[in-house]
C-alpha cells in the first residue's frame, strides 16, 4: 500500500542537500541492519550530485557498509563513457570513486561508444536488472530511488506528452527525441520507478515551483510526469523554499 506523499521544506538549497545526505546515511544503516543488502537508484543534476558530494563529505560516510549496496541509475545520456554529461561520471566523481564499493555493485547504463545501438543498450540494462531480481520479478527491490524534477515536470528521461511516461511493459526504454539535450537517452520506466520502496524527489529552485505545485494538486502524468510518481511505501519530496512556493499548504511537513 502506498502512503500519502509528503513534502518536507528546507530553508535553502544547501540545507536541503545536507539534510537529505544525512537522512540517506541513517536510512542506509537501518536498511542494512534489517535486511543485509540494499539497492539504490541515483539521479543526475546539480542537486542529485550535490547530495552525493555531501554524503562523501560526511563524517558518517564510512559507517555504511557500501559493499552491501548495489547502485543503479534512473536514466542516462546516450554519450560516450567518459563524457561530462553522463550521470555515471558525475556520481563517480562526487561519491563512488571515494568509497569502498565493489566495481560489480555499480550498474552503469551502457555508453554510446561501446559497440551497441541504443535499443540494444536498453535491452542490456533490462537484462542486468532482471539478473539481480527475485525469481518472480524483472527488477530488483529498489530501497531508495532518488529523482530530480525538471521545470516541465519530467522525471528520469520521461517527458510530458511522450510515449515513455505511458510505457507499462518495458523496464528500460530508449528515448530518441528528448526535448532536453542530448536528444538520445536511456531511462527506467515509470512503473519500475514506482516499484521502489521509497522514492525521494529532491527539488530546488523557483523554476521547479509550477511543476511541483501542479503535480501535487492532481495534474495528469502526461501533462506533468512527476504527478504519476508514487513509491510502494514512501514518496517524499525534499524541497527548498523556492521550489515549494506553489505546493498546497496541507501537504507540507517540517523536516525532522
Amino acid at each position: 500500500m502506498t502512503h500519502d506523499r509528503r513534502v518536507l521544506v528546507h530553508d535553502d538549497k544547501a540545507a536541503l542537500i545536507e539534510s537529505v545526505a544525512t537522512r540517506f546515511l541513517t536510512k542506509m544503516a537501518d536498511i542494512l541492519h534489517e535486511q543485509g543488502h540494499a539497492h539504490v537508484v541515483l539521479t543526475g543534476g546539480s542537486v542529485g550530485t550535490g547530495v552525493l558530494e555531501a554524503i562523501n563529505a560526511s563524517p558518517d560516510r564510512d559507517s555504511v557498509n557500501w559493499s552491501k549496496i548495489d547502485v543503479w541509475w534512473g536514466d542516462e545520456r546516450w554519450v560516450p563513457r567518459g563524457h561530462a554529461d553522463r550521470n555515471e561520471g558525475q556520481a563517480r566523481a562526487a561519491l563512488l570513486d571515494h568509497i569502498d564499493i565493489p566495481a560489480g555493485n555499480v550498474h552503469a547504463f551502457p555508453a554510446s561508444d561501446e559497440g551497441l545501438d541504443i535499443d540494444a543498450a536498453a535491452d542490456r540494462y533490462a537484462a542486468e536488472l532482471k539478473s539481480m531480481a527475485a525469481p518472480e520479478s524483472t527488477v530488483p527491490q529498489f530501497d531508495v530511488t532518488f529523482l530530480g524534477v525538471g521545470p516541465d515536470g519530467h522525471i528520469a528521461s520521461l517527458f510530458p506528452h511522450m510515449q515513455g511516461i505511458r510505457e507499462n511493459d518495458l523496464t528500460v526504454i530508449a528515448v530518441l527525441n528528448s526535448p532536453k539535450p542530448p536528444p538520445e537517452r536511456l531511462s527506467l520506466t515509470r512503473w519500475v520507478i514506482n516499484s521502489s520502496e521509497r522514492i525521494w524527489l529532491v527539488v530546488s529552485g523557483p523554476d521547479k515551483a509550477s511543476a511541483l505545485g501542479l503535480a501535487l494538486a492532481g495534474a495528469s502524468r502526461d501533462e506533468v510526469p512527476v504527478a504519476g510518481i508514487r513509491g510502494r511505501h514512501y514518496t517524499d519530496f525534499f524541497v527548498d523554499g523556492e521550489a515549494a512556493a506553489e505546493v498546497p499548504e496541507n501537504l507540507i511537513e517540517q523536516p525532522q
Side-chain angles (χ1 to χ4, degrees), residues 117-198:
D117 66 33
I118 193 169
D119 291 317
D123 290 344
R124 177 182 286 185
Y125 207 64
E128 188 168 357
L129 288 164
K130 186 172 177 58
S131 75
M132 300 290 288
E136 69 280 4
S137 185
T138 54
V139 296
Q141 174 189 292
F142 296 133
D143 296 289
V144 176
T145 292
F146 285 103
L147 289 175
V149 179
D152 60 355
H154 83 265
I155 40 89
S157 284
L158 306 177
F159 293 92
H161 307 296
M162 296 181 66
Q163 177 57 34
I165 193 63
R166 306 182 192 107
E167 176 59 53
N168 291 319
D169 296 317
L170 298 175
T171 58
V172 182
I173 57 169
V175 178
L176 303 179
N177 54 350
S178 162
K180 180 180 178 182
E184 295 183 324
R185 297 157 174 253
L186 295 160
S187 183
L188 301 185
T189 51
R190 182 183 63 89
W191 75 264
V192 171
I193 293 168
N194 282 351
S195 75
S196 306
E197 295 292 302
R198 302 162 189 82

Side-chain angles (χ1 to χ4, degrees), residues 20-29 32 36-42 51-72 91 94-107 144 146 200:
V20 173
T22 299
R23 185 181 293 250
F24 175 78
L25 288 166
T26 301
K27 180 55 66 177
M28 279 298 103
L32 293 178
H37 198 92
H39 291 269
V40 175
V41 180
L42 302 182
V51 169
L52 298 184
E53 290 171 343
I55 292 169
N56 185 52
S58 171
D60 296 324
R61 183 195 72 180
D62 295 332
S63 66
V64 170
N65 186 348
W66 295 99
S67 71
K68 301 298 185 182
I69 298 175
D70 277 83
V71 173
W72 306 82
L95 175 64
L96 299 179
D97 287 347
H98 309 284
I99 57 176
D100 189 16
I101 186 169
N105 289 25
V106 180
H107 306 275
V144 176
F146 285 103
W200 290 7

Side-chain angles (χ1 to χ4, degrees), residues 69-89:
I69 298 175
D70 277 83
V71 173
W72 306 82
W73 276 265
D75 72 326
E76 187 56 275
R77 289 80 176 268
W78 186 240
V79 292
R81 176 68 65 181
H83 197 287
D85 281 350
R86 273 184 68 88
N87 292 331
E88 175 209 359

